[in-house]
């Protein structure tokens, strides 16, 4: 069992299109996905199917639990009429806990290997909150009034059931992966006007939008490794475009 901590940055806009789940193996995460060739773990064959030939034992399995804790709170500094700092007002909050699970098993017989893996493919989870404030009325240690509150909440994802087969011939290792992709997403976007804004501006209406999508598709992936010398290996992996 291996635990990995890592830091990264991404935009909330990524959640509209879904966040691609690339790494399921701790070693792959630690190497920044630089595991295209010569790797020996089952989940690394999801990046390059040809890696499946390199598993050590005749039979084995691998599981993974991925947890992402996001604690993003952004604050706006406030100043009084004498340009003195009077405090901060939190205007963006994106605090979430996301999880994903994968498991698979493989079988190797001499120079050919096969595996089946169930794993997350794309995640649409999001929970974003934003305050929209007026620039006025920040003097005398007063926070600007809230005009509106924006919400972006998403659920769902796409999971994959993948069958992988790979074989070795001389210096070349070839692999292929066929995946059945299925899932759904629910996205809720809301703009809720505050009482202060409603009193100041007439005819304001809250804006609430919902979007529901279902996904069904097959995808393929092809990979190859070439052992050039004892210390040099060349690898490649290709995934054709997927249409839902």
């Amino acid at each position: 069992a291996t635990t990995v901590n890592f830091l990264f940055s991404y935009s909330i806009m990524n959640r509209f299109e879904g966040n691609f789940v690339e790494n399921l193996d701790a070693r792959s995460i630690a190497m920044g996905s630089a595991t295209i060739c010569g790797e020996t773990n089952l989940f690394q064959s999801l990046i390059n199917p040809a890696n499946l030939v390199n598993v050590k034992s005749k039979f084995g399995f691998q599981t993974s639990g991925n947890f992402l804790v996001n604690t993003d709170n952004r604050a706006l500094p406030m100043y009084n009429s004498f340009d003195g700092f009077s405090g901060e007002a939190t205007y963006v909050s994106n605090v979430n806990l996301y999880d994903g699970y994968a498991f698979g098993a493989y079988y190797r017989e001499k120079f050919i290997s096969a595996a089946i893996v169930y794993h997350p493919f794309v995640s649409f989870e999001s929970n974003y909150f934003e305050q929209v404030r007026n620039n006025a009325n920040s003097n005398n240690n007063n926070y600007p009034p809230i005009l509106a509150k924006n919400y972006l909440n998403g659920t769902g994802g796409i999971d994959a059931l993948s069958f992988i087969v790979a074989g070795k011939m001389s210096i070349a290792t070839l692999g292929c992966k066929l995946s059945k992709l299925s899932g759904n997403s629910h996205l809720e976007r809301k703009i809720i006007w505050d009482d202060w804004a409603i009193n100041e501006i007439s005819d304001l209406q809250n804006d609430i939008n919902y979007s529901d999508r279902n996904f069904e598709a097959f995808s393929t992936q092809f990979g190859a490794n070439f052992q050039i010398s004892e210390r040099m290996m060349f690898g490649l992996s290709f995934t054709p475009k997927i249409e839902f």
Side-chain angles (χ1 to χ4, degrees), residues 50-95:
N51 285 333
L52 186 61
V53 172
N54 301 321
V55 292
K56 297 297 185 180
S57 58
K58 186 173 182 179
F59 173 81
F61 67 93
Q62 187 173 0
T63 61
S64 175
N66 302 281
F67 301 92
L68 170 61
V69 180
N70 188 358
T71 56
D72 181 15
N73 282 303
R74 305 180 192 181
L76 183 69
M78 313 304 298
Y79 298 89
N80 58 29
S81 58
F82 298 99
D83 292 330
F85 176 71
S86 58
E88 293 185 344
T90 299
Y91 72 99
V92 169
S93 177
N94 189 21
V95 179

